[in-house]
Amino acid sequence: MRKRIPLPFIPVLIAAILSLPASSTGQTPAKAKIKIEKEKQLVLDWLSKPETVERFGKISDAIWEYAELGLQEFRSSKLLADTLEQAGFKVERGLADMPTCFVATYGSGKPVIGFLGEFDALPMLSQKAKSTTQDPIVAGAPGHGCGHNAMCTAALSAAIAVKEAIDKYGLPGTIKVFGSPAEEIVASRPYMVRAGLFKDVDAVIDNHSGSGLGTGYGRGGNALFSSIFSFKGKTSHGASAWSGRSALDAVEIMNVSTNYLREHLPLSYRMHYVITEGGEAPNVVPDKAAVWYYVRNTDERLEEMYERVINCAKAGALATGTELLPIRVISAIHQTHSNKGMAELLQKNIDLVGMPAWSDEENAFAKALQKELKAAETGMPTKVDTLRAPSGQETGGGSSDVGEVTLIAPTATVRFPGTIPGSISHHWSTVACTVGTTTWKGLNAGAKVIAASAVDLLTKPAELKKIRDEFDAYIQKYPYKSFLPADAKPPVDINETLMNKFRPLMEKAAEIKK
Ligand SMILES: [Zn+2]
C-alpha cells in the first residue's frame, strides 16, 4: 500500500483562506497603472470578496460530489438554475428536449452576451478528494475527471457579477447563461442550436477548467459522429450454432473492417468504439449486439469517413446473414472555430486578472500529486498563458460540442486553473484535485475574466462590432449546416441505467462522510 500524504482537509483550508486578507483570497493584484472602468472594477471587486469565492466554490464542490453523467444531471442542473433564479434571473428549464438543459436570462435588449456552462461527469472515475493515489469513493461510479463541476459554476458567478453592474450602472443589454448538459458525450449543443436557443445571441464566452489561465483562437479539435450500430441475428444453442446467426459476429466483422479502413484515411481521423451489447453467455448465440462508435475528422472529411464506416457495418451484416438496424445517431458536431477578436479581448482581461495566489498547503498538495504522477514537481502555476494561435496541423484530437456554437455566434473559451498541472484529464488524478480551494480560486479567476470581458462587450460597441465583423466574414466561408440527421433526438436515456445503479451508493457514501 502506498502511503497517503496527510494533508489538512477542506474545512481546515476554508477556515485558513477566510482568515486571510482579501488580496490573498483571489488573484494577485491587478497592475496598478492600468485604469479600470468603474463597471469592470465593480464586477472584479464583487468576485474578489472571500464570501463570493466560498459561495461559488461550495456550488462547484457540491456538483463534484453529485458527479452526474450526461443528461442525468438533475441535482447539478437544479442547483445551478435555482441559484440563478434566486439571483433574479429568468430561468427556462427542460429546453431542447433535455430535462437538464436550461437558459437563465437577465437584463433587456441588445447586445445579448451568452455564457456557456457544463456540469456533467465521466463514468468509472469515482475518486476521493485530495488523495494522491487512486482511491474511489464508490468503485466504478462516475467522477468529475474534466472539471465540469467548476465550469457552469464559473459562468454562473460571472453572470451574477455582471448583473450587479447592470443594476448599479444601468448597462444596456442582456446576459444569458446556457446550462449545457452532457458535454462528455458532446450531446447538448447541436440540439440547443437546432432548437434556436442561440438565435438572438451576439457573442458567446465559453470556459473550460484546465491547469492554466489562458485562451486561444482559430480552428481546432475534430468534428464527430457519435453513433450506435445495432444488429439483429437469430439465436440458437452455442453448440449447434449452424441454426443461428450471430449479431456479435456482425459487430466483430464491422470492427475488423473499420480497423483495416484506418490505413486508408488521412491523418486527421480518430476512431474508437466500445461494444455495448454482445450476448450474455457463450452457449447462446447472441441475436442482438451493438457497438458505439466515435468517428472523428475535420469538418470537410467527416461525412465521407462516416459513410465508409457505415459500409463496414453493412459488410458485417452481409457476411453474417444478420440485419443492420436503423443507426442511432447520438450526436454529430463540428470542429471548434474560435473567434480571434473575442480571444484577444479575453486575453486582455486574463492579463488584467492575473494568476491566483496559492497557499503553501495548495502548493504542497500539487507537488505531492505531481510526484505520484511522475510529472514535473512545479506546484501550482504562477503565470498566465499567452494567447494561443492555431497550430495549423490537422492530425486528429478531441472534440467539443462548443464547436456548434462557434459557427452560430462569435465564441472563444477561457481556460482557468481548476486542476493541478500534471494531472491527467479523464483520469482519477483530475477528480482528486478538481475540488476544494485551488478549484475555488481557479474558477473565480475564470469568472473574473468572463465578467470583465462581458462588461467590455456591453459597454464598448466598437469592440463587439469588430468581433461580429470577423464572425460575419468567417461564416461566409464556413456556413453552418448541422450534421445531425433530422430524426436524431437527444440521448436522454443513454446514461440512465448506469446512473440509477450508482446514484444510491454515491448518496449513501456522501451521507456517511457527513
Ligand atoms: Zn471537458
Side-chain angles (χ1 to χ4, degrees), residues 225 229 254 257-266 269 271 293 295 297 301-316:
F225 264 100
F229 297 85
M254 176 184 176
S257 307
T258 58
N259 285 322
Y260 275 104
L261 177 63
R262 292 177 194 276
E263 170 74 352
H264 304 285
L265 292 168
Y269 89 91
M271 177 163 52
Y293 265 79
V295 176
N297 216 319
R301 290 170 177 161
L302 182 69
E303 285 175 302
E304 188 209 336
M305 176 180 166
Y306 184 58
E307 279 304 313
R308 292 170 82 179
V309 170
I310 291 173
N311 284 338
C312 294
K314 288 177 182 168

PDB file of all heavy atoms in Angstrom, residues 225 229 254 257-266 269 271 293 295 297 301-316:
ATOM      1  N   PHE A 225     -19.071  12.194 -35.397  1.00  0.00           N
ATOM      2  CA  PHE A 225     -20.335  11.460 -35.352  1.00  0.00           C
ATOM      3  C   PHE A 225     -20.252  10.474 -34.197  1.00  0.00           C
ATOM      4  O   PHE A 225     -19.293   9.689 -34.104  1.00  0.00           O
ATOM      5  CB  PHE A 225     -20.561  10.665 -36.644  1.00  0.00           C
ATOM      6  CG  PHE A 225     -21.427  11.372 -37.655  1.00  0.00           C
ATOM      7  CD1 PHE A 225     -20.850  12.034 -38.731  1.00  0.00           C
ATOM      8  CD2 PHE A 225     -22.807  11.385 -37.525  1.00  0.00           C
ATOM      9  CE1 PHE A 225     -21.630  12.699 -39.662  1.00  0.00           C
ATOM     10  CE2 PHE A 225     -23.604  12.042 -38.452  1.00  0.00           C
ATOM     11  CZ  PHE A 225     -23.011  12.712 -39.527  1.00  0.00           C
ATOM     12  N   PHE A 229     -24.413   1.317 -33.677  1.00  0.00           N
ATOM     13  CA  PHE A 229     -24.777   0.374 -34.737  1.00  0.00           C
ATOM     14  C   PHE A 229     -25.273  -0.911 -34.062  1.00  0.00           C
ATOM     15  O   PHE A 229     -24.529  -1.558 -33.319  1.00  0.00           O
ATOM     16  CB  PHE A 229     -23.551   0.068 -35.607  1.00  0.00           C
ATOM     17  CG  PHE A 229     -23.013   1.277 -36.334  1.00  0.00           C
ATOM     18  CD1 PHE A 229     -22.118   2.144 -35.706  1.00  0.00           C
ATOM     19  CD2 PHE A 229     -23.423   1.565 -37.633  1.00  0.00           C
ATOM     20  CE1 PHE A 229     -21.625   3.262 -36.368  1.00  0.00           C
ATOM     21  CE2 PHE A 229     -22.931   2.685 -38.302  1.00  0.00           C
ATOM     22  CZ  PHE A 229     -22.038   3.536 -37.669  1.00  0.00           C
ATOM     23  N   MET A 254     -17.606  -5.861 -38.478  1.00  0.00           N
ATOM     24  CA  MET A 254     -17.601  -4.404 -38.667  1.00  0.00           C
ATOM     25  C   MET A 254     -16.317  -3.804 -38.087  1.00  0.00           C
ATOM     26  O   MET A 254     -15.655  -2.983 -38.731  1.00  0.00           O
ATOM     27  CB  MET A 254     -18.823  -3.778 -37.987  1.00  0.00           C
ATOM     28  CG  MET A 254     -18.802  -2.268 -38.081  1.00  0.00           C
ATOM     29  SD  MET A 254     -20.135  -1.442 -37.202  1.00  0.00           S
ATOM     30  CE  MET A 254     -19.643   0.259 -37.482  1.00  0.00           C
ATOM     31  N   SER A 257     -13.289  -4.512 -40.109  1.00  0.00           N
ATOM     32  CA  SER A 257     -13.320  -3.694 -41.338  1.00  0.00           C
ATOM     33  C   SER A 257     -12.886  -2.263 -41.054  1.00  0.00           C
ATOM     34  O   SER A 257     -12.107  -1.679 -41.817  1.00  0.00           O
ATOM     35  CB  SER A 257     -14.728  -3.679 -41.938  1.00  0.00           C
ATOM     36  OG  SER A 257     -15.187  -4.996 -42.118  1.00  0.00           O
ATOM     37  N   THR A 258     -13.403  -1.685 -39.962  1.00  0.00           N
ATOM     38  CA  THR A 258     -13.012  -0.284 -39.674  1.00  0.00           C
ATOM     39  C   THR A 258     -11.532  -0.216 -39.303  1.00  0.00           C
ATOM     40  O   THR A 258     -10.861   0.772 -39.611  1.00  0.00           O
ATOM     41  CB  THR A 258     -13.855   0.340 -38.542  1.00  0.00           C
ATOM     42  OG1 THR A 258     -13.735  -0.438 -37.356  1.00  0.00           O
ATOM     43  CG2 THR A 258     -15.313   0.464 -38.935  1.00  0.00           C
ATOM     44  N   ASN A 259     -11.027  -1.276 -38.662  1.00  0.00           N
ATOM     45  CA  ASN A 259      -9.603  -1.242 -38.310  1.00  0.00           C
ATOM     46  C   ASN A 259      -8.710  -1.345 -39.553  1.00  0.00           C
ATOM     47  O   ASN A 259      -7.616  -0.773 -39.571  1.00  0.00           O
ATOM     48  CB  ASN A 259      -9.283  -2.326 -37.278  1.00  0.00           C
ATOM     49  CG  ASN A 259      -9.807  -1.921 -35.908  1.00  0.00           C
ATOM     50  OD1 ASN A 259      -9.746  -0.745 -35.547  1.00  0.00           O
ATOM     51  ND2 ASN A 259     -10.352  -2.857 -35.157  1.00  0.00           N
ATOM     52  N   TYR A 260      -9.170  -2.042 -40.600  1.00  0.00           N
ATOM     53  CA  TYR A 260      -8.446  -2.018 -41.884  1.00  0.00           C
ATOM     54  C   TYR A 260      -8.611  -0.667 -42.572  1.00  0.00           C
ATOM     55  O   TYR A 260      -7.713  -0.177 -43.251  1.00  0.00           O
ATOM     56  CB  TYR A 260      -8.922  -3.142 -42.804  1.00  0.00           C
ATOM     57  CG  TYR A 260      -8.207  -4.453 -42.541  1.00  0.00           C
ATOM     58  CD1 TYR A 260      -8.828  -5.492 -41.865  1.00  0.00           C
ATOM     59  CD2 TYR A 260      -6.888  -4.634 -42.982  1.00  0.00           C
ATOM     60  CE1 TYR A 260      -8.178  -6.680 -41.606  1.00  0.00           C
ATOM     61  CE2 TYR A 260      -6.219  -5.836 -42.728  1.00  0.00           C
ATOM     62  CZ  TYR A 260      -6.865  -6.850 -42.040  1.00  0.00           C
ATOM     63  OH  TYR A 260      -6.202  -8.017 -41.794  1.00  0.00           O
ATOM     64  N   LEU A 261      -9.781  -0.054 -42.359  1.00  0.00           N
ATOM     65  CA  LEU A 261     -10.055   1.237 -43.006  1.00  0.00           C
ATOM     66  C   LEU A 261      -9.063   2.317 -42.568  1.00  0.00           C
ATOM     67  O   LEU A 261      -8.691   3.193 -43.347  1.00  0.00           O
ATOM     68  CB  LEU A 261     -11.498   1.654 -42.657  1.00  0.00           C
ATOM     69  CG  LEU A 261     -12.005   3.005 -43.162  1.00  0.00           C
ATOM     70  CD1 LEU A 261     -12.023   3.038 -44.690  1.00  0.00           C
ATOM     71  CD2 LEU A 261     -13.408   3.273 -42.613  1.00  0.00           C
ATOM     72  N   ARG A 262      -8.590   2.204 -41.306  1.00  0.00           N
ATOM     73  CA  ARG A 262      -7.708   3.245 -40.751  1.00  0.00           C
ATOM     74  C   ARG A 262      -6.522   3.548 -41.666  1.00  0.00           C
ATOM     75  O   ARG A 262      -6.118   4.698 -41.815  1.00  0.00           O
ATOM     76  CB  ARG A 262      -7.144   2.793 -39.398  1.00  0.00           C
ATOM     77  CG  ARG A 262      -8.172   2.689 -38.308  1.00  0.00           C
ATOM     78  CD  ARG A 262      -7.525   2.150 -37.025  1.00  0.00           C
ATOM     79  NE  ARG A 262      -8.542   1.721 -36.073  1.00  0.00           N
ATOM     80  CZ  ARG A 262      -9.161   2.543 -35.229  1.00  0.00           C
ATOM     81  NH1 ARG A 262      -8.876   3.819 -35.208  1.00  0.00           N
ATOM     82  NH2 ARG A 262     -10.076   2.083 -34.397  1.00  0.00           N
ATOM     83  N   GLU A 263      -5.955   2.492 -42.252  1.00  0.00           N
ATOM     84  CA  GLU A 263      -4.775   2.637 -43.111  1.00  0.00           C
ATOM     85  C   GLU A 263      -5.039   3.607 -44.266  1.00  0.00           C
ATOM     86  O   GLU A 263      -4.124   4.260 -44.748  1.00  0.00           O
ATOM     87  CB  GLU A 263      -4.408   1.243 -43.646  1.00  0.00           C
ATOM     88  CG  GLU A 263      -3.360   1.201 -44.735  1.00  0.00           C
ATOM     89  CD  GLU A 263      -1.952   1.458 -44.215  1.00  0.00           C
ATOM     90  OE1 GLU A 263      -1.795   1.807 -43.040  1.00  0.00           O
ATOM     91  OE2 GLU A 263      -1.013   1.335 -45.021  1.00  0.00           O
ATOM     92  N   HIS A 264      -6.303   3.703 -44.666  1.00  0.00           N
ATOM     93  CA  HIS A 264      -6.620   4.446 -45.889  1.00  0.00           C
ATOM     94  C   HIS A 264      -7.360   5.745 -45.602  1.00  0.00           C
ATOM     95  O   HIS A 264      -8.081   6.248 -46.463  1.00  0.00           O
ATOM     96  CB  HIS A 264      -7.427   3.547 -46.827  1.00  0.00           C
ATOM     97  CG  HIS A 264      -6.692   2.284 -47.114  1.00  0.00           C
ATOM     98  ND1 HIS A 264      -5.613   2.235 -47.957  1.00  0.00           N
ATOM     99  CD2 HIS A 264      -6.818   1.047 -46.571  1.00  0.00           C
ATOM    100  CE1 HIS A 264      -5.122   0.999 -47.961  1.00  0.00           C
ATOM    101  NE2 HIS A 264      -5.834   0.258 -47.123  1.00  0.00           N
ATOM    102  N   LEU A 265      -7.177   6.260 -44.376  1.00  0.00           N
ATOM    103  CA  LEU A 265      -7.781   7.544 -44.020  1.00  0.00           C
ATOM    104  C   LEU A 265      -6.678   8.588 -43.835  1.00  0.00           C
ATOM    105  O   LEU A 265      -5.570   8.243 -43.408  1.00  0.00           O
ATOM    106  CB  LEU A 265      -8.568   7.402 -42.705  1.00  0.00           C
ATOM    107  CG  LEU A 265      -9.818   6.521 -42.781  1.00  0.00           C
ATOM    108  CD1 LEU A 265     -10.338   6.225 -41.375  1.00  0.00           C
ATOM    109  CD2 LEU A 265     -10.905   7.162 -43.631  1.00  0.00           C
ATOM    110  N   PRO A 266      -6.975   9.855 -44.151  1.00  0.00           N
ATOM    111  CA  PRO A 266      -5.972  10.905 -43.884  1.00  0.00           C
ATOM    112  C   PRO A 266      -5.670  10.975 -42.383  1.00  0.00           C
ATOM    113  O   PRO A 266      -6.480  10.530 -41.557  1.00  0.00           O
ATOM    114  CB  PRO A 266      -6.662  12.190 -44.353  1.00  0.00           C
ATOM    115  CG  PRO A 266      -7.840  11.752 -45.136  1.00  0.00           C
ATOM    116  CD  PRO A 266      -8.216  10.394 -44.681  1.00  0.00           C
ATOM    117  N   TYR A 269      -8.006  11.759 -39.033  1.00  0.00           N
ATOM    118  CA  TYR A 269      -9.076  10.961 -38.437  1.00  0.00           C
ATOM    119  C   TYR A 269      -8.734  10.499 -37.025  1.00  0.00           C
ATOM    120  O   TYR A 269      -7.557  10.361 -36.660  1.00  0.00           O
ATOM    121  CB  TYR A 269      -9.377   9.732 -39.305  1.00  0.00           C
ATOM    122  CG  TYR A 269      -8.525   8.535 -38.918  1.00  0.00           C
ATOM    123  CD1 TYR A 269      -8.988   7.623 -37.957  1.00  0.00           C
ATOM    124  CD2 TYR A 269      -7.266   8.322 -39.450  1.00  0.00           C
ATOM    125  CE1 TYR A 269      -8.207   6.549 -37.554  1.00  0.00           C
ATOM    126  CE2 TYR A 269      -6.481   7.261 -39.062  1.00  0.00           C
ATOM    127  CZ  TYR A 269      -6.940   6.379 -38.111  1.00  0.00           C
ATOM    128  OH  TYR A 269      -6.172   5.339 -37.697  1.00  0.00           O
ATOM    129  N   MET A 271     -10.806   7.355 -34.500  1.00  0.00           N
ATOM    130  CA  MET A 271     -11.983   6.476 -34.493  1.00  0.00           C
ATOM    131  C   MET A 271     -11.835   5.486 -33.351  1.00  0.00           C
ATOM    132  O   MET A 271     -10.774   4.875 -33.184  1.00  0.00           O
ATOM    133  CB  MET A 271     -12.071   5.750 -35.835  1.00  0.00           C
ATOM    134  CG  MET A 271     -13.205   4.751 -35.923  1.00  0.00           C
ATOM    135  SD  MET A 271     -13.597   4.287 -37.631  1.00  0.00           S
ATOM    136  CE  MET A 271     -12.022   3.788 -38.311  1.00  0.00           C
ATOM    137  N   TYR A 293     -19.753   3.908 -31.744  1.00  0.00           N
ATOM    138  CA  TYR A 293     -18.581   4.488 -32.401  1.00  0.00           C
ATOM    139  C   TYR A 293     -18.500   5.994 -32.212  1.00  0.00           C
ATOM    140  O   TYR A 293     -19.510   6.696 -32.290  1.00  0.00           O
ATOM    141  CB  TYR A 293     -18.649   4.232 -33.924  1.00  0.00           C
ATOM    142  CG  TYR A 293     -17.892   3.013 -34.364  1.00  0.00           C
ATOM    143  CD1 TYR A 293     -18.449   1.748 -34.203  1.00  0.00           C
ATOM    144  CD2 TYR A 293     -16.630   3.113 -34.942  1.00  0.00           C
ATOM    145  CE1 TYR A 293     -17.750   0.620 -34.601  1.00  0.00           C
ATOM    146  CE2 TYR A 293     -15.933   1.992 -35.345  1.00  0.00           C
ATOM    147  CZ  TYR A 293     -16.488   0.741 -35.171  1.00  0.00           C
ATOM    148  OH  TYR A 293     -15.795  -0.366 -35.568  1.00  0.00           O
ATOM    149  N   VAL A 295     -16.635   8.656 -34.494  1.00  0.00           N
ATOM    150  CA  VAL A 295     -15.957   8.813 -35.777  1.00  0.00           C
ATOM    151  C   VAL A 295     -15.577  10.285 -35.894  1.00  0.00           C
ATOM    152  O   VAL A 295     -16.448  11.153 -35.942  1.00  0.00           O
ATOM    153  CB  VAL A 295     -16.905   8.408 -36.930  1.00  0.00           C
ATOM    154  CG1 VAL A 295     -16.257   8.662 -38.285  1.00  0.00           C
ATOM    155  CG2 VAL A 295     -17.327   6.953 -36.787  1.00  0.00           C
ATOM    156  N   ASN A 297     -13.172  13.544 -37.536  1.00  0.00           N
ATOM    157  CA  ASN A 297     -12.339  14.053 -38.621  1.00  0.00           C
ATOM    158  C   ASN A 297     -12.564  15.556 -38.748  1.00  0.00           C
ATOM    159  O   ASN A 297     -13.301  16.132 -37.947  1.00  0.00           O
ATOM    160  CB  ASN A 297     -12.659  13.320 -39.928  1.00  0.00           C
ATOM    161  CG  ASN A 297     -11.415  13.110 -40.775  1.00  0.00           C
ATOM    162  OD1 ASN A 297     -10.582  14.008 -40.880  1.00  0.00           O
ATOM    163  ND2 ASN A 297     -11.270  11.944 -41.357  1.00  0.00           N
ATOM    164  N   ARG A 301     -14.012  16.426 -43.959  1.00  0.00           N
ATOM    165  CA  ARG A 301     -13.814  14.987 -44.219  1.00  0.00           C
ATOM    166  C   ARG A 301     -14.769  14.094 -43.448  1.00  0.00           C
ATOM    167  O   ARG A 301     -14.810  12.885 -43.685  1.00  0.00           O
ATOM    168  CB  ARG A 301     -12.380  14.598 -43.843  1.00  0.00           C
ATOM    169  CG  ARG A 301     -11.352  15.180 -44.790  1.00  0.00           C
ATOM    170  CD  ARG A 301      -9.962  14.970 -44.244  1.00  0.00           C
ATOM    171  NE  ARG A 301      -8.964  15.461 -45.170  1.00  0.00           N
ATOM    172  CZ  ARG A 301      -7.718  15.754 -44.838  1.00  0.00           C
ATOM    173  NH1 ARG A 301      -7.314  15.601 -43.588  1.00  0.00           N
ATOM    174  NH2 ARG A 301      -6.873  16.187 -45.732  1.00  0.00           N
ATOM    175  N   LEU A 302     -15.505  14.671 -42.485  1.00  0.00           N
ATOM    176  CA  LEU A 302     -16.262  13.835 -41.553  1.00  0.00           C
ATOM    177  C   LEU A 302     -17.317  12.970 -42.250  1.00  0.00           C
ATOM    178  O   LEU A 302     -17.387  11.757 -42.022  1.00  0.00           O
ATOM    179  CB  LEU A 302     -16.934  14.702 -40.481  1.00  0.00           C
ATOM    180  CG  LEU A 302     -17.715  13.896 -39.441  1.00  0.00           C
ATOM    181  CD1 LEU A 302     -16.778  13.097 -38.552  1.00  0.00           C
ATOM    182  CD2 LEU A 302     -18.603  14.799 -38.587  1.00  0.00           C
ATOM    183  N   GLU A 303     -18.134  13.600 -43.105  1.00  0.00           N
ATOM    184  CA  GLU A 303     -19.274  12.852 -43.652  1.00  0.00           C
ATOM    185  C   GLU A 303     -18.825  11.724 -44.583  1.00  0.00           C
ATOM    186  O   GLU A 303     -19.396  10.630 -44.561  1.00  0.00           O
ATOM    187  CB  GLU A 303     -20.228  13.817 -44.364  1.00  0.00           C
ATOM    188  CG  GLU A 303     -21.025  14.637 -43.352  1.00  0.00           C
ATOM    189  CD  GLU A 303     -21.892  15.694 -43.989  1.00  0.00           C
ATOM    190  OE1 GLU A 303     -21.345  16.549 -44.714  1.00  0.00           O
ATOM    191  OE2 GLU A 303     -23.116  15.678 -43.757  1.00  0.00           O
ATOM    192  N   GLU A 304     -17.757  11.973 -45.338  1.00  0.00           N
ATOM    193  CA  GLU A 304     -17.263  10.924 -46.238  1.00  0.00           C
ATOM    194  C   GLU A 304     -16.742   9.732 -45.406  1.00  0.00           C
ATOM    195  O   GLU A 304     -17.019   8.567 -45.702  1.00  0.00           O
ATOM    196  CB  GLU A 304     -16.147  11.477 -47.125  1.00  0.00           C
ATOM    197  CG  GLU A 304     -15.739  10.489 -48.209  1.00  0.00           C
ATOM    198  CD  GLU A 304     -14.287  10.632 -48.641  1.00  0.00           C
ATOM    199  OE1 GLU A 304     -13.698  11.717 -48.483  1.00  0.00           O
ATOM    200  OE2 GLU A 304     -13.743   9.616 -49.141  1.00  0.00           O
ATOM    201  N   MET A 305     -16.002  10.061 -44.326  1.00  0.00           N
ATOM    202  CA  MET A 305     -15.465   8.989 -43.477  1.00  0.00           C
ATOM    203  C   MET A 305     -16.603   8.201 -42.824  1.00  0.00           C
ATOM    204  O   MET A 305     -16.565   6.965 -42.737  1.00  0.00           O
ATOM    205  CB  MET A 305     -14.561   9.604 -42.411  1.00  0.00           C
ATOM    206  CG  MET A 305     -14.020   8.592 -41.415  1.00  0.00           C
ATOM    207  SD  MET A 305     -12.969   9.405 -40.207  1.00  0.00           S
ATOM    208  CE  MET A 305     -12.854   8.114 -38.976  1.00  0.00           C
ATOM    209  N   TYR A 306     -17.628   8.923 -42.385  1.00  0.00           N
ATOM    210  CA  TYR A 306     -18.761   8.275 -41.721  1.00  0.00           C
ATOM    211  C   TYR A 306     -19.469   7.299 -42.676  1.00  0.00           C
ATOM    212  O   TYR A 306     -19.839   6.186 -42.287  1.00  0.00           O
ATOM    213  CB  TYR A 306     -19.715   9.359 -41.214  1.00  0.00           C
ATOM    214  CG  TYR A 306     -20.880   8.846 -40.414  1.00  0.00           C
ATOM    215  CD1 TYR A 306     -20.684   8.093 -39.253  1.00  0.00           C
ATOM    216  CD2 TYR A 306     -22.190   9.125 -40.805  1.00  0.00           C
ATOM    217  CE1 TYR A 306     -21.761   7.630 -38.516  1.00  0.00           C
ATOM    218  CE2 TYR A 306     -23.271   8.674 -40.064  1.00  0.00           C
ATOM    219  CZ  TYR A 306     -23.047   7.917 -38.916  1.00  0.00           C
ATOM    220  OH  TYR A 306     -24.113   7.456 -38.189  1.00  0.00           O
ATOM    221  N   GLU A 307     -19.608   7.708 -43.935  1.00  0.00           N
ATOM    222  CA  GLU A 307     -20.205   6.822 -44.945  1.00  0.00           C
ATOM    223  C   GLU A 307     -19.408   5.525 -45.066  1.00  0.00           C
ATOM    224  O   GLU A 307     -19.960   4.429 -45.201  1.00  0.00           O
ATOM    225  CB  GLU A 307     -20.239   7.521 -46.316  1.00  0.00           C
ATOM    226  CG  GLU A 307     -21.395   8.478 -46.506  1.00  0.00           C
ATOM    227  CD  GLU A 307     -22.761   7.824 -46.289  1.00  0.00           C
ATOM    228  OE1 GLU A 307     -23.004   6.735 -46.825  1.00  0.00           O
ATOM    229  OE2 GLU A 307     -23.582   8.415 -45.542  1.00  0.00           O
ATOM    230  N   ARG A 308     -18.087   5.644 -45.006  1.00  0.00           N
ATOM    231  CA  ARG A 308     -17.230   4.458 -45.140  1.00  0.00           C
ATOM    232  C   ARG A 308     -17.372   3.546 -43.918  1.00  0.00           C
ATOM    233  O   ARG A 308     -17.298   2.327 -44.037  1.00  0.00           O
ATOM    234  CB  ARG A 308     -15.777   4.886 -45.376  1.00  0.00           C
ATOM    235  CG  ARG A 308     -15.616   5.559 -46.742  1.00  0.00           C
ATOM    236  CD  ARG A 308     -14.259   6.198 -46.906  1.00  0.00           C
ATOM    237  NE  ARG A 308     -13.243   5.221 -47.295  1.00  0.00           N
ATOM    238  CZ  ARG A 308     -11.956   5.541 -47.517  1.00  0.00           C
ATOM    239  NH1 ARG A 308     -11.560   6.800 -47.383  1.00  0.00           N
ATOM    240  NH2 ARG A 308     -11.099   4.610 -47.861  1.00  0.00           N
ATOM    241  N   VAL A 309     -17.591   4.155 -42.753  1.00  0.00           N
ATOM    242  CA  VAL A 309     -17.821   3.351 -41.537  1.00  0.00           C
ATOM    243  C   VAL A 309     -19.176   2.634 -41.650  1.00  0.00           C
ATOM    244  O   VAL A 309     -19.299   1.453 -41.287  1.00  0.00           O
ATOM    245  CB  VAL A 309     -17.728   4.248 -40.279  1.00  0.00           C
ATOM    246  CG1 VAL A 309     -18.194   3.497 -39.032  1.00  0.00           C
ATOM    247  CG2 VAL A 309     -16.291   4.741 -40.090  1.00  0.00           C
ATOM    248  N   ILE A 310     -20.174   3.324 -42.185  1.00  0.00           N
ATOM    249  CA  ILE A 310     -21.484   2.679 -42.383  1.00  0.00           C
ATOM    250  C   ILE A 310     -21.340   1.477 -43.326  1.00  0.00           C
ATOM    251  O   ILE A 310     -21.940   0.416 -43.109  1.00  0.00           O
ATOM    252  CB  ILE A 310     -22.521   3.694 -42.936  1.00  0.00           C
ATOM    253  CG1 ILE A 310     -22.852   4.738 -41.859  1.00  0.00           C
ATOM    254  CG2 ILE A 310     -23.789   2.991 -43.412  1.00  0.00           C
ATOM    255  CD1 ILE A 310     -23.741   5.878 -42.342  1.00  0.00           C
ATOM    256  N   ASN A 311     -20.496   1.629 -44.350  1.00  0.00           N
ATOM    257  CA  ASN A 311     -20.263   0.497 -45.262  1.00  0.00           C
ATOM    258  C   ASN A 311     -19.653  -0.696 -44.540  1.00  0.00           C
ATOM    259  O   ASN A 311     -19.967  -1.854 -44.847  1.00  0.00           O
ATOM    260  CB  ASN A 311     -19.374   0.925 -46.432  1.00  0.00           C
ATOM    261  CG  ASN A 311     -20.150   1.747 -47.448  1.00  0.00           C
ATOM    262  OD1 ASN A 311     -21.385   1.666 -47.517  1.00  0.00           O
ATOM    263  ND2 ASN A 311     -19.449   2.552 -48.227  1.00  0.00           N
ATOM    264  N   CYS A 312     -18.782  -0.419 -43.559  1.00  0.00           N
ATOM    265  CA  CYS A 312     -18.197  -1.507 -42.757  1.00  0.00           C
ATOM    266  C   CYS A 312     -19.307  -2.216 -41.961  1.00  0.00           C
ATOM    267  O   CYS A 312     -19.277  -3.445 -41.791  1.00  0.00           O
ATOM    268  CB  CYS A 312     -17.135  -0.968 -41.805  1.00  0.00           C
ATOM    269  SG  CYS A 312     -15.681  -0.305 -42.645  1.00  0.00           S
ATOM    270  N   ALA A 313     -20.259  -1.448 -41.459  1.00  0.00           N
ATOM    271  CA  ALA A 313     -21.386  -2.050 -40.721  1.00  0.00           C
ATOM    272  C   ALA A 313     -22.222  -2.927 -41.657  1.00  0.00           C
ATOM    273  O   ALA A 313     -22.615  -4.050 -41.303  1.00  0.00           O
ATOM    274  CB  ALA A 313     -22.235  -0.951 -40.098  1.00  0.00           C
ATOM    275  N   LYS A 314     -22.457  -2.413 -42.858  1.00  0.00           N
ATOM    276  CA  LYS A 314     -23.236  -3.198 -43.838  1.00  0.00           C
ATOM    277  C   LYS A 314     -22.504  -4.492 -44.183  1.00  0.00           C
ATOM    278  O   LYS A 314     -23.121  -5.553 -44.350  1.00  0.00           O
ATOM    279  CB  LYS A 314     -23.473  -2.374 -45.114  1.00  0.00           C
ATOM    280  CG  LYS A 314     -24.475  -1.233 -44.920  1.00  0.00           C
ATOM    281  CD  LYS A 314     -24.603  -0.423 -46.217  1.00  0.00           C
ATOM    282  CE  LYS A 314     -25.572   0.743 -46.028  1.00  0.00           C
ATOM    283  NZ  LYS A 314     -25.490   1.692 -47.165  1.00  0.00           N
ATOM    284  N   ALA A 315     -21.166  -4.395 -44.275  1.00  0.00           N
ATOM    285  CA  ALA A 315     -20.361  -5.584 -44.585  1.00  0.00           C
ATOM    286  C   ALA A 315     -20.530  -6.636 -43.487  1.00  0.00           C
ATOM    287  O   ALA A 315     -20.639  -7.842 -43.767  1.00  0.00           O
ATOM    288  CB  ALA A 315     -18.891  -5.193 -44.731  1.00  0.00           C
ATOM    289  N   GLY A 316     -20.539  -6.181 -42.218  1.00  0.00           N
ATOM    290  CA  GLY A 316     -20.717  -7.103 -41.088  1.00  0.00           C
ATOM    291  C   GLY A 316     -22.044  -7.828 -41.174  1.00  0.00           C
ATOM    292  O   GLY A 316     -22.126  -9.053 -40.957  1.00  0.00           O
TER     293      GLY A 316
END
